[in-house]
Amino acid sequence: MDLNFRTTYASPSVIKARGFSLEELQELPVERQITPASLEILMQVIQNRPFERLTSEDAIHTFELEFYRKDGSIILGEINITLV
């Protein structure tokens, strides 16, 4: 995702697991891609980690979120946020 939380890339395995095409994911806002509880976790991570002030070694954070699949079911996925 970019800094506006818009999907820019998804691996083929993510596309297959979630059932959305990359184009569909690029059109979906983050609020419709993850559960409300996961959105809260994501926002807490972003607020607590001011990435623009970190060195590249400090700017890696890994955690799990619940993602919606195209059929409405939920799957667990690991997220890595890295300062680029």
Side-chain angles (χ1 to χ4, degrees):
M1 294 186 161
D2 64 17
L3 294 175
N4 296 315
F5 301 106
R6 301 302 283 187
T7 300
T8 58
Y9 172 78
S11 70
S13 61
V14 168
I15 297 295
K16 183 177 180 181
R18 295 199 48 211
F20 291 102
S21 69
L22 176 58
E23 293 77 19
E24 289 171 319
L25 289 174
Q26 289 173 327
E27 295 297 318
L28 278 177
V30 69
E31 300 85 15
R32 293 188 49 214
Q33 292 195 41
I34 60 178
T35 64
S38 289
L39 183 59
E40 186 175 319
I41 291 168
L42 178 61
M43 292 300 122
Q44 287 176 354
V45 168
I46 298 300
Q47 290 172 358
N48 293 331
R49 302 278 305 215
F51 294 99
E52 65 277 358
R53 289 180 266 168
L54 300 175
T55 65
S56 60
E57 295 82 29
D58 296 330
I60 299 171
H61 192 79
T62 302
F63 53 101
E64 293 179 343
L65 297 178
E66 295 175 324
F67 290 88
Y68 291 116
R69 296 182 69 222
K70 191 170 186 175
D71 67 7
S73 62
I74 296 172
I75 60 169
L76 191 62
E78 184 178 272
I79 297 296
N80 295 297
I81 294 180
T82 307
L83 179 66
V84 179

